[in-house]
Amino acid sequence: MVEAQRKLYIRTFGCQMNVADSELMAQILAPEYVLTPASEDADLYLINTCAIRRKSEEKVKSLLGSLRPLKRRRPQLILGVGGCVAQQEGERLLAFAPHLNLVFGTQGIYRLPDLVRRASTGERLVDVALKREIPDLPQRHWSSDRFQAMVTIMRGCNNFCTFCVVPYVRGREHSREPQAIVNEVAAFINAGGKEVTLLGQNVNSYGRGLSEPVTFTELLQRLDDLPGLQRLRFATSHPRDLSTELIHAFGQLPALCEHLHLPVQAGADRILKRMNRGYTAAEYLAKVAMLRQACPDMALSTDLIVGFPGETEADFNQTLDLMRAAGFDQAFSFKYSPRPQTRAAAFPDQVPEAAKTERLMRLQALQNELTLNSHARLVGQEREVLVEGQSKRSPEELSGRLRTNQVVNFSGPRELLGCLTRVTITEAHPHSLKGRWVPPASTSSMQEED
Ligand code: SAM
Ligand code: SF4
């Protein structure tokens, strides 16, 4: 008799890298577990955690607490915590939550089948080993309704920015073999895939340490050569390592989208130095100028931290100046949050919470202005859009992204889901654009007129 497949529920916190890791967990456990969208039905409940700021860590602990009644109702349920908080806290998490069965770190994912088997016998266990070698996995299966994919090309980070916990919880940098990446992307395109986002903490240093070193730009070229790939994106790029070669790839590789996420973090050289970022504001802006020259249509997004230890009002104003000079299309901004083991957590001149809050509000007000300006410049233009789903605000509308990454909502037939089509931008809003669908017949007649 065939045993019924058990059910797996995964709750994911954090960045795209964690979303990709949750997919990896499901893939690794797939022979025995099938994903369920309902946590109440789960036989195995995994929480994939983020430790980048204290708030994200607190959310995990509060979710864990709220799962006590479920575990009481279903004592056979295996409850596991994985990812960055698991890596950081290890045994302490088992002590914090007596109903927790399993704690596995950022590389414990690869050992999940064995860990889950042992946990099902009643053993409570922790696996937070960080090993240098990361196994490559059997070919991923892509379902034919999937049109976007995230592909992890490297793990870990060697940079040790003084605010950041990543090198401690994800270990040292390690690149995947290029052929394994090319094969994965080729299989995705063959199954009907359109857009691929390559993931790594610092993709610019991809390839170091491989038996046959390959630069990140060479990897992009090999992927761009694959027939059928429509859109290629990547995150994240470290400004110090952004090469001239990569800058020139924009505008030259047809699939490579005209959008770069280039986290600057701060605008004052003094703060950048204390963050150990390895560039000055002028060097950052010089790279932005090169990017805009190589690819005038380029959209730029960034990450910014306010209230890093020692940040004065004058330093903060330099961040605002840099934002204006770079003209960011989008920014993700955070209050500095001291993290365990990091150097900045021990800096004596921590900024009071109230000052961080006030600076964050000013910074976000400026970014809203910059984003609205960048949206307004698109009004009247006809652009390609990849239709991703329904609009959040009005479900009768479709929603998609431009190659330059802005969200656009428009009315059109539902059959467009997962397809590339064209829209004329009609309105600019603070967080999205509104467009008018250009049906294919009118697109081709426009091209003939050209
Ligand atoms: N690897 C990327 C890079 O070099 O920029 C970013 C990785 S991190 C997951 C994403 C963002 O979180 C960072 O760019 C930074 O702005 C923010 N971040 C990291 N540590 C932080 C901290 N301790 N407090 C506040 N924000 C932080
Ligand atoms: Fe963290 Fe810096 Fe590495 Fe990015 S480059 S993951 S911010 S240490």
Side-chain angles (χ1 to χ4, degrees), residues 293-311:
Q293 200 175 16
C295 179
D297 205 18
M298 196 75 186
L300 259 190
S301 56
T302 199
D303 291 343
L304 295 155
I305 296 178
V306 299
F308 182 80
E311 185 189 72

Side-chain angles (χ1 to χ4, degrees), residues 15 52-53 161 163-166 201-202 236-238 263 265 277 303-305 332 334-339:
C15 62
I52 205 82
R53 283 167 289 277
C161 301
F163 53 81
C164 184
V165 79
V166 167
Q201 292 297 346
N202 178 14
T236 298
S237 232
H238 192 298
Q265 314 297 359
R277 289 293 288 180
D303 291 343
L304 295 155
I305 296 178
F332 301 90
F334 314 100
K335 290 193 257 185
Y336 167 71
S337 168
R339 303 313 294 138

Side-chain angles (χ1 to χ4, degrees), residues 63-75:
L63 172 64
L64 254 181
S66 75
L67 288 175
R68 261 191 220 108
L70 178 66
K71 180 78 182 172
R72 231 178 279 128
R73 280 197 305 280
R74 307 195 55 192

Side-chain angles (χ1 to χ4, degrees), residues 245-266:
E245 192 193 16
L246 178 55
I247 290 175
H248 288 292
F250 284 102
Q252 279 179 8
L253 302 182
L256 187 61
C257 290
E258 296 78 20
H259 167 237
L260 180 65
H261 185 63
L262 195 63
V264 65
Q265 314 297 359

Side-chain angles (χ1 to χ4, degrees), residues 160-225:
F160 292 94
C161 301
T162 55
F163 53 81
C164 184
V165 79
V166 167
Y168 305 97
V169 291
R170 287 195 171 264
R172 294 299 91 78
E173 187 180 290
H174 179 92
S175 297
R176 279 180 72 194
E177 286 296 331
Q179 197 53 46
I181 299 167
V182 172
N183 292 347
E184 193 166 315
V185 173
F188 172 64
I189 302 167
N190 288 338
K194 303 241 166 44
E195 180 182 273
V196 169
T197 303
L198 306 176
L199 296 180
Q201 292 297 346
N202 178 14
V203 293
N204 301 120
S205 61
Y206 171 81
R208 287 180 203 157
L210 287 174
S211 46
E212 263 179 75
V214 169
T215 67
F216 179 59
T217 313
E218 284 161 359
L219 176 71
L220 290 179
Q221 269 155 356
R222 286 177 64 177
L223 295 172
D224 189 75
D225 284 344

Side-chain angles (χ1 to χ4, degrees), residues 59-96:
K59 278 190 209 156
V60 172
K61 293 198 168 149
S62 114
L63 172 64
L64 254 181
S66 75
L67 288 175
R68 261 191 220 108
L70 178 66
K71 180 78 182 172
R72 231 178 279 128
R73 280 197 305 280
R74 307 195 55 192
Q76 296 308 318
L77 170 73
I78 302 170
L79 182 57
V81 174
C84 297
V85 175
Q87 188 68 45
Q88 183 185 288
E89 296 296 305
E91 292 279 350
R92 285 193 295 270
L93 269 183
L94 280 192
F96 169 81

Side-chain angles (χ1 to χ4, degrees), residues 8 13 15 52 93 148 182 238 249 291 309 387 394 396 447:
L8 163 65
F13 291 91
C15 62
I52 205 82
L93 269 183
Q148 290 174 303
V182 172
H238 192 298
L291 276 162
V387 184
S394 46
E396 66 279 7
Q447 280 165 352

